[in-house]
Amino acid sequence: MGEQQQYEAQKKELSKWNQQHLLTFWPDLCEAERAKLLESLRDGVDCASLDDAFRRAMATATSAKEDLNDLLKPLEKEMLLSVEAASEAELQELQEVGLDRIRAGEVGVILLAGGQGTRLGSTAPKGTYNVGLPSGKSLFQLQAERIRKLEQLAGPGARIPWFIMTSEHTHRETVEYFQVNDYFGLPVEQVVLFRQRSVPCVDLAGRILLDDKWKAATAPDGNGGIYRALKDEGILDTLERDGVKFLHAHSVDNILIKVADPVFMGYCVRKRADCGVKVIEKVEPNEAIGVLCDVKGKYQVVEYSELSQETANRRNPSDGKLTFNAGNICNHFFTTEFLRRIADTTMPLHVAKKKIPYVDTEEGSATRGQRLKPTTPNGIKMEKFIFDVFPLAERFVALEGRREEEFSALKNSDSVGFDCPSSVRGDIYRLHRKWLISAGALEVSGGLKEAACEIAPLLSYAGEGLEKIARGQSFHCPVHLSAVDEP
């Protein structure tokens, strides 16, 4: 089909859905720009699906809802194991179960890495960000080396396949970053990078916004897009072919993440769970993390914005802890069988009103043809959330980890003062000083918040194996302990 025929076909289809404004600047475009526009419309704009999604999203956003606060129940004790309350023998037993499954090649990792470091002042993929550790390692490198160390702990032949979900904005840079860094010592065939889908951004009436005269504005479909992407990109087929039965899925920005944590894996396997979640105790009522709750007999994450002040502040008479304290940190367990079963599920759509830059197409407007940056929300992005499949689980469990060992998020610049490079560095330094003391060090002096103490993942995954280095020794920060096989 020639260019003019493609144009006429697109014009006819777009007009059916009141989206013909996307062709407003066709006469002004050069040949290359016209080709780009036709390609973006053909591959990225499904008007019928978008119209259905917009109607569903707006109906959900505007419908009268039951007040969740009247329906919430805290988690039942029998479906949650607290690492803090468990015995060392119990944790060791679960870890051995997890290591055994890793050794058998049945455990894989799914990394949600579609975001950019925009709030950090960078347009690069967030996983490439260097937070300023003595080693200079990025989030990607730290996680890759934890996988390598865990394979060593599991024993000869252990292999943990790593599936990294990118977005249209991060895919090329992420691929190039791994290639330049030789996949951080992992075999290239062990690391699979794939893209989540993008959806057009629309104005408040459902009309698609133009990002440029030859390109629709798009955004990733949220971390809940993982399920469709796993199927569409052939990842589910790969998992089934290779005998990978259990998956650890997590976001890229938690610098303390225990990748494929064998205790978590072992716990979920032992419980025969098809879906599981790792949580941390929420101690501040207004902390901006959702909580895992029982809602009408099903487990789901309730966003912090959905909790009333009364509910968020409610405490147990017995111990004074928050009643709803199972903080969600995007740290999940799935069986491959479960992922296959729910791959075609119609996910709920969450509407976020945003300030979306756009090219003005309004006839007679003084700014027609200019790319504008609005100061107030002018459109919506429709997202899916990874935790919205929890109610579909047939056997759901949760593990509560220790915050200081499990969770430190990188989201903001240092000017914000929390969840930022300086705060995550401080969290790593405190944890690694604790490792040295636990391994028999006499002291680790200079222990201020920013006093550097970094232990390479290839030297220790979670504090194990440091006795020979630490016992009877005194350390003065800055401390940087590397593994012998590091470059």
Side-chain angles (χ1 to χ4, degrees):
M1 187 184 294
E3 180 186 275
Q4 187 61 31
Q5 289 176 302
Q6 292 183 61
Y7 167 78
E8 294 296 340
Q10 283 291 348
K11 184 177 179 180
K12 182 178 180 181
E13 177 66 15
L14 292 172
S15 296
K16 284 170 51 181
W17 303 98
N18 195 30
Q19 303 288 2
Q20 63 272 17
H21 62 284
L22 296 176
L23 296 171
T24 295
F25 304 105
W26 180 266
D28 306 331
L29 303 181
C30 67
E31 186 175 339
E33 291 168 343
R34 287 182 173 184
K36 288 180 182 177
L37 177 58
L38 289 173
E39 181 183 8
S40 72
L41 294 177
R42 183 178 63 249
D43 298 339
V45 178
D46 179 343
C47 290
S49 296
L50 179 66
D51 184 72
D52 176 66
F54 177 75
R55 293 177 185 278
R56 285 195 294 114
M58 297 307 291
T60 300
T62 58
S63 63
K65 298 179 181 177
E66 292 181 284
D67 187 352
L68 279 174
N69 294 276
D70 296 333
L71 304 173
L72 302 185
K73 294 181 181 179
L75 303 183
E76 299 172 1
K77 290 184 178 180
E78 56 266 26
M79 61 81 60
L80 182 141
L81 174 68
S82 168
V83 168
E84 190 67 45
S87 68
E88 283 302 314
E90 185 176 8
L91 296 177
Q92 184 63 39
E93 182 180 350
L94 293 175
Q95 177 166 297
E96 287 304 318
V97 173
L99 290 174
D100 183 59
R101 295 303 89 206
I102 290 171
R103 195 159 41 246
E106 294 179 353
V107 173
V109 173
I110 300 172
L111 175 61
L112 309 175
Q116 298 166 291
T118 309
R119 282 191 276 171
L120 296 163
S122 169
T123 58
K126 189 182 284 190
T128 67
Y129 196 83
N130 174 358
V131 302
L133 296 174
S135 65
K137 292 175 181 176
S138 66
L139 297 172
F140 279 141
Q141 183 168 359
L142 293 171
Q143 292 166 27
E145 292 182 356
R146 286 174 190 149
I147 287 175
R148 290 174 58 191
K149 182 60 179 179
L150 192 52
E151 289 175 339
Q152 293 174 14
L153 294 173
R159 179 180 178 275
I160 302 172
W162 198 15
F163 301 93
I164 301 173
M165 187 175 78
T166 65
S167 67
E168 64 170 328
H169 303 294
T170 64
H171 187 77
R172 180 181 56 81
E173 284 188 76
T174 303
V175 170
E176 292 174 353
Y177 183 75
F178 273 85
Q179 290 173 340
V180 167
N181 289 282
D182 296 321
Y183 293 82
F184 302 107
L186 289 166
V188 61
E189 65 274 10
Q190 192 173 329
V191 183
V192 179
L193 291 99
F194 66 103
R195 285 184 238 207
Q196 69 184 112
R197 302 172 73 190
S198 290
V199 294
C201 302
V202 300
D203 65 17
L204 301 179
R207 282 163 44 95
I208 300 170
L209 297 170
L210 276 177
D211 186 53
D212 217 321
K213 291 182 179 181
W214 55 86
K215 183 179 184 297
T218 60
D221 60 354
N223 58 22
I226 182 69
Y227 306 111
R228 183 66 179 270
L230 288 172
K231 178 185 177 183
D232 289 351
E233 297 295 322
I235 306 301
L236 289 180
D237 295 335
T238 298
L239 295 172
E240 291 166 347
R241 181 197 69 208
D242 294 345
V244 178
K245 298 179 180 179
F246 312 110
L247 283 305
H248 180 215
H250 66 89
S251 58
V252 73
D253 58 6
N254 178 6
I255 202 168
L256 295 184
I257 187 73
K258 290 183 177 179
V259 186
D261 175 16
V263 173
F264 183 36
M265 296 292 102
Y267 173 64
C268 292
V269 170
R270 177 63 61 84
K271 287 288 190 177
R272 301 182 184 277
D274 56 359
C275 180
V277 61
K278 184 184 286 188
V279 299
I280 57 167
E281 183 184 353
K282 182 174 179 176
V283 294
E284 294 294 334
N286 295 323
E287 184 179 6
I289 58 174
V291 290
L292 184 65
C293 304
D294 179 326
V295 181
K296 295 183 176 180
K298 295 288 186 179
Y299 297 107
Q300 70 179 63
V301 172
V302 178
E303 292 282 58
Y304 64 93
S305 58
E306 296 179 288
L307 296 175
S308 68
Q309 280 297 306
E310 189 278 328
T311 301
N313 282 276
R314 192 181 306 169
R315 294 184 180 272
N316 303 326
S318 57
D319 57 16
K321 293 183 177 182
L322 293 174
T323 300
F324 298 101
N325 68 354
N328 177 56
I329 55 173
C330 194
N331 195 323
H332 310 303
F333 167 92
F334 303 108
T335 64
T336 300
E337 184 179 349
F338 175 78
L339 292 174
R340 175 66 78 182
R341 177 164 65 83
I342 57 92
D344 292 321
T345 297
T346 300
M347 299 279 289
L349 291 169
H350 301 264
V351 172
K353 292 185 178 181
K354 299 283 187 178
K355 292 178 283 189
I356 305 171
Y358 69 103
V359 175
D360 186 0
T361 61
E362 195 67 33
E363 189 73 37
S365 169
T367 58
R368 189 172 187 269
Q370 296 180 27
R371 191 172 190 271
L372 307 178
K373 292 186 177 180
T375 56
T376 57
N378 65 311
I380 67 169
K381 295 182 179 180
M382 294 175 282
E383 296 181 308
K384 304 169 186 175
F385 293 164
I386 191 170
F387 51 69
D388 278 331
V389 300
F390 289 178
L392 303 177
E394 295 176 354
R395 188 164 178 82
F396 185 87
V397 297
L399 179 77
E400 183 183 87
R402 299 184 181 98
R403 179 188 290 259
E404 66 274 14
E405 297 177 357
E406 301 272 8
F407 182 63
S408 180
L410 178 67
K411 297 184 181 296
N412 307 311
S413 66
D414 273 335
S415 62
V416 176
F418 62 92
D419 292 346
C420 58
S422 60
S423 68
V424 301
R425 284 197 307 270
D427 288 338
I428 277 194
Y429 297 161
R430 279 189 292 274
L431 177 60
H432 289 188
R433 286 196 293 269
K434 178 182 175 182
W435 285 1
L436 290 174
I437 294 298
S438 297
L442 298 177
E443 64 173 342
V444 183
S445 59
L448 299 175
K449 179 180 180 181
E450 275 298 305
C453 181
E454 181 185 2
I455 299 172
L458 289 171
L459 187 62
S460 182
Y461 174 83
E464 78 294 328
L466 297 173
E467 289 76 14
K468 288 184 179 180
I469 297 172
R471 186 176 292 120
Q473 301 298 312
S474 295
F475 296 86
H476 184 80
C477 297
V479 174
H480 179 205
L481 302 180
S482 301
V484 293
D485 53 348
E486 288 194 65

